[in-house]
């Protein structure tokens, strides 16, 4: 099952068994903020029930990015009366355009969601939009800062910061290699260095999945990705006809390395 961990005053993280999604909860005096809603109505309902053990206040929702395990539970919250769903602009667009096609990833975990049949299986597109400037959401006596550090794990990653705690979505994952499928590797490395530099401002850093992360963990992740970008670029320069030559030199498994190179080539900045 799932349990709440207190991560700073009025900040909590719900560690969910299975996908190990970390749902965040920030409780103000007037409203509470839920960060990421799970992969369908079943998990969404569990998250909502768990939230209601902690707080009866009106809720606002944040989706950290447009991957199904972070927003497919939105409809449960909409049915429960939530009207404010926050996301980065690109994330909201992506959910609108590609939300439906992600149903095939859910499988037996959420059969209603994958079949689009039953209650609370609609795609709920975020309607409260963060662009390039940070947005402060007042929860009553406590504000959450929603901000974007550029493209990284996706093109619409949103971070949520409170006086004690930084929720970073899948920009940082603990216990699993980074997921590069929709990523911008060079910019992700930059974002990680940025997070690493900000880390001292917060007592707790909550990754999208897995355990709480130390300074060192984020620093290492940033350095590893920065090095990987350099190595892959070098290797692509050496053998432009066969970019897969770079795979063995990269610090990731073969599957991640293949995605890393593919995305690096598709998303290259001009040098
Ligand atoms: Zn993700």
């Amino acid at each position: 099952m799932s349990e709440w961990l207190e991560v700073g005053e009025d900040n909590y993280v719900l560690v969910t068994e299975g996908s190990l999604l970390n749902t965040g909860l920030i409780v103000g005096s007037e409203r509470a903020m839920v960060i990421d809603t799970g992969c369908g109505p079943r998990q969404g309902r569990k998250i909502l029930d768990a939230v209601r053990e902690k707080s009866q206040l009106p809720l606002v929702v944040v989706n950290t990015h447009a991957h199904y395990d972070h927003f497919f539970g939105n409809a449960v919250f909409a049915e429960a009366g939530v009207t404010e769903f926050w996301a980065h602009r690109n994330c909201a667009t992506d959910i609108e355009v590609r939300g439906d096609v992600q149903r095939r990833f859910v499988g037996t975990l959420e059969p209603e969601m994958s079949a689009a049949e039953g209650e609370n299986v609609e795609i709920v597109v975020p309607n409260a939009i963060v662009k390039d400037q940070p947005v402060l959401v007042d929860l009553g006596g406590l504000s959450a800062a929603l901000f974007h550090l550029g493209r990284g794990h996706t093109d619409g990653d949103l971070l949520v910061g409170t006086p004690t705690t930084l929720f970073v979505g899948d920009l940082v994952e603990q216990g699993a290699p980074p997921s590069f499928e929709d990523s911008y590797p060079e910019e992700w490395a930059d974002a990680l260095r940025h997070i690493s530099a900000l880390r001292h401002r917060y007592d707790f850093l909550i990754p999208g999945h897995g355990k709480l992360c130390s300074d060192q963990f984020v620093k290492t992740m940033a350095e590893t990705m920065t090095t990987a970008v350099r190595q892959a670029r070098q290797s692509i320069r050496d053998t432009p006809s066969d970019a897969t030559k770079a795979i063995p030199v990269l610090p990731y498994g073969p599957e991640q390395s293949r995605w890393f190179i593919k995305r690096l080539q598709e998303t290259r900045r001009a040098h």
Side-chain angles (χ1 to χ4, degrees), residues 44-78:
R45 167 56 57 185
K46 282 185 193 162
I47 291 170
L48 178 60
D49 289 346
V51 165
R52 285 310 182 205
E53 287 169 20
K54 283 276 171 217
S55 171
Q56 294 298 324
L57 291 171
L59 302 174
V60 295
V61 163
V62 176
N63 296 131
T64 55
H65 63 290
H67 284 156
Y68 71 95
D69 49 332
H70 300 261
F71 72 86
F72 268 10
N74 282 4
V76 170
F77 287 81

Side-chain angles (χ1 to χ4, degrees), residues 46-269:
K46 282 185 193 162
I47 291 170
L48 178 60
D49 289 346
V51 165
R52 285 310 182 205
E53 287 169 20
K54 283 276 171 217
S55 171
Q56 294 298 324
L57 291 171
L59 302 174
V60 295
V61 163
V62 176
N63 296 131
T64 55
H65 63 290
H67 284 156
Y68 71 95
D69 49 332
H70 300 261
F71 72 86
F72 268 10
N74 282 4
V76 170
F77 287 81
E79 191 204 42
V82 176
T83 55
E84 206 172 302
F85 291 85
W86 286 93
H88 183 265
R89 170 176 43 191
N90 294 342
C91 169
T93 304
D94 205 17
I95 289 175
E96 188 161 24
V97 176
R98 293 197 315 149
D100 232 17
V101 304
Q102 292 190 52
R103 288 182 191 276
R104 63 197 156 101
F105 300 132
V106 186
T108 53
L109 261 182
E110 296 268 0
E112 297 82 8
M113 198 66 197
S114 50
E117 277 170 15
E119 281 179 25
N120 300 325
V121 297
E122 316 75 48
I123 302 293
V124 174
V125 179
N127 56 3
I129 301 302
V130 179
K131 297 176 187 168
D132 295 332
Q133 293 303 314
V135 172
L136 271 182
V137 179
D138 183 9
L139 303 173
L142 175 64
S143 291
L146 311 186
F147 60 100
H148 176 67
L149 290 178
R151 302 187 294 188
H153 173 66
T154 66
D155 65 0
D157 301 299
L158 199 61
L159 296 88
V160 182
T162 70
T164 53
T165 311
L166 182 62
F167 298 87
V168 297
D170 289 2
L171 283 168
V172 179
E173 269 189 72
Q174 189 279 333
S179 302
F180 291 112
E181 285 86 333
D182 296 315
S183 73
Y184 296 75
E186 296 185 272
E187 289 159 83
W188 193 350
D190 293 345
L192 285 170
R193 286 198 300 275
H194 201 147
I195 292 170
S196 184
L198 288 175
R199 179 66 183 85
H200 71 279
R201 290 199 202 166
Y202 301 95
D203 298 329
F204 300 93
L205 186 140
I206 317 299
H209 303 267
K211 298 199 176 77
L212 271 57
C213 294
S214 63
D215 286 10
Q216 192 53 49
F217 184 91
V218 180
K219 213 168 168 212
T220 303
M221 189 176 171
E223 280 166 6
T224 302
M225 207 174 289
T226 303
T227 307
V229 167
R230 199 181 314 123
Q231 286 171 327
R233 257 200 235 129
Q234 180 63 45
S235 182
I236 291 166
R237 257 198 304 271
D238 292 348
T239 46
S241 57
D242 185 8
T244 59
K245 285 255 161 55
I247 290 173
V249 304
L250 293 179
Y252 304 112
E255 174 72 14
Q256 284 86 40
S257 297
R258 208 163 280 124
W259 276 110
F260 182 89
I261 290 163
K262 181 171 188 289
R263 292 298 296 170
L264 189 65
Q265 288 183 303
E266 286 171 355
T267 64
R268 283 203 72 171
R269 290 187 295 219

